[in-house]
Amino acid sequence: MDKKRIAVPLVCHGHSRPVVDLFYSPVTPDGFFLISASKDSSPMLRNGETGDWIGTFEGHKGAVWSVCLDTNALRAASGSADFTAKVWDAPPREVDKSPGSVRTVAWMHSDQTILSSCTDMGGVRLWDVRSGKIVQTLETKSSVTSAEVSLDGRYITTADGSTVKFWDANHFGLVKSHNMPCTVESASLEPKYGNKFVAGGEDMWVRVFDFHTGDEIACNKGHHGPVHCVRFSPGGESYASGSEDGTIRIWQTGPLTHDDAESMAANGSVGQVKVSAEEVSRKIEGFHIAEEVKTKEKEAGNE
């Protein structure tokens, strides 16, 4: 008898409040990374393959609604309810004052532009990183709760209400628009073939749809609260979801068997860690590893 195939996500804890945004970096020489935003005001960086915690960004004074990493995973950008967008390297800096509470941020145009939207107004805005000013606005009728630039730079994927839209990332025209079965907060396009996308929202389900037709392909459940964010990994072999329940779940694109699930539980991860927190901390500055480490460093400096 064939064993029943089930989707078993890897669960990542750490945030003390709901997780509202996720972003995968492209594959770098050190692997790939996953950054998350939460209402607890402190974005977290993780190993993108295993979900292992690497570090926490501290500095915002309100809920952080959106985060992203640049092409080389050397800089992060974050948007917050404190009306600021920060670029994190060494040290973090702010772009010009946003017209509203920032809901989404994403790098584009070779990391020279930041795309953002606001919680309390429609439209998607493009900011020039060098000047910190808005250079273009994409008009929408309702607030955009999710905006993603595809890995190949061709599409901008947005979610607003019960609709997922795909825009030309260079000419900014609307390419496709699909109605969803419920109000969705986030959507992400599969990066390798671009033939499907994942979406999540108020019904707590994580659904996969056909890019061309909008037909539902798969549906997974595991969260215990509304799904606020979904993102595909850079290779398309998995996708992550963040929820009101405060957890991140990493789903394999192909369902796992019971034997796979038991093996994953025994090993504590879905793959071998390719990079340590210490290695990444030398590469990416601007985030806090642990109070204990900081204390030791200060003591050493005073000697």
Side-chain angles (χ1 to χ4, degrees), residues 163-187:
T163 305
V164 173
K165 295 183 176 70
F166 299 92
W167 309 77
D168 186 303
N170 296 301
H171 303 289
F172 308 112
L174 183 62
V175 178
K176 286 185 179 295
S177 179
H178 296 303
N179 294 323
M180 298 286 98
C182 69
T183 299
V184 295
E185 289 198 38
S186 183

Side-chain angles (χ1 to χ4, degrees), residues 6 33 38 53 67 80 124 155 186 189 210 269 272:
I6 57 173
F33 304 93
S38 170
W53 177 84
V67 286
S80 170
V124 177
Y155 298 110
S186 183
L189 182 64
D210 183 276
S269 68
Q272 186 176 4

Side-chain angles (χ1 to χ4, degrees), residues 24-25 32 48 191 231-240:
Y24 277 104
S25 76
F32 61 96
R231 286 294 181 264
F232 266 104
S233 65
E237 70 279 356
S238 63
Y239 49 90

Side-chain angles (χ1 to χ4, degrees), residues 4-8 218 220 251-258 260:
K4 182 180 179 181
R5 299 181 67 84
I6 57 173
V8 182
N220 296 310
W251 309 82
Q252 297 298 306
T253 302
L256 303 176
T257 64
H258 284 293
D260 293 330

Side-chain angles (χ1 to χ4, degrees), residues 12-21 36-46 53 55-67 79-82 228 243-248:
C12 306
H13 298 277
H15 285 293
S16 60
R17 299 287 307 281
V19 178
V20 294
D21 194 31
S36 57
S38 170
K39 293 181 182 179
D40 62 14
S41 79
S42 299
M44 289 187 179
L45 186 71
R46 298 176 184 272
W53 177 84
T56 300
F57 297 82
E58 296 182 342
H60 279 296
K61 298 178 180 179
V64 176
W65 288 107
S66 187
V67 286
S80 170
D82 62 12
H228 295 309
S243 168
E244 183 75 17
D245 63 18
T247 67
I248 299 168

Side-chain angles (χ1 to χ4, degrees), residues 96-110:
D96 203 15
K97 197 76 172 179
S98 171
S101 176
V102 179
R103 181 65 177 85
T104 66
V105 290
W107 294 97
M108 63 184 303
H109 297 158
S110 301

Side-chain angles (χ1 to χ4, degrees), residues 127-204:
W127 302 74
D128 183 275
V129 173
R130 292 160 293 188
S131 67
K133 304 296 184 181
I134 297 174
V135 294
Q136 188 165 353
T137 300
L138 309 180
E139 299 294 342
T140 63
K141 292 183 179 179
S142 58
S143 174
V144 174
T145 54
S146 173
E148 174 195 67
V149 180
S150 63
L151 197 60
D152 60 8
R154 293 179 59 194
Y155 298 110
I156 298 172
T157 303
T158 62
D160 58 310
S162 59
T163 305
V164 173
K165 295 183 176 70
F166 299 92
W167 309 77
D168 186 303
N170 296 301
H171 303 289
F172 308 112
L174 183 62
V175 178
K176 286 185 179 295
S177 179
H178 296 303
N179 294 323
M180 298 286 98
C182 69
T183 299
V184 295
E185 289 198 38
S186 183
S188 178
L189 182 64
E190 194 278 331
K192 193 171 183 180
Y193 302 107
N195 59 351
K196 57 188 174 183
F197 65 95
V198 62
E202 63 180 14
D203 66 353
M204 300 185 287

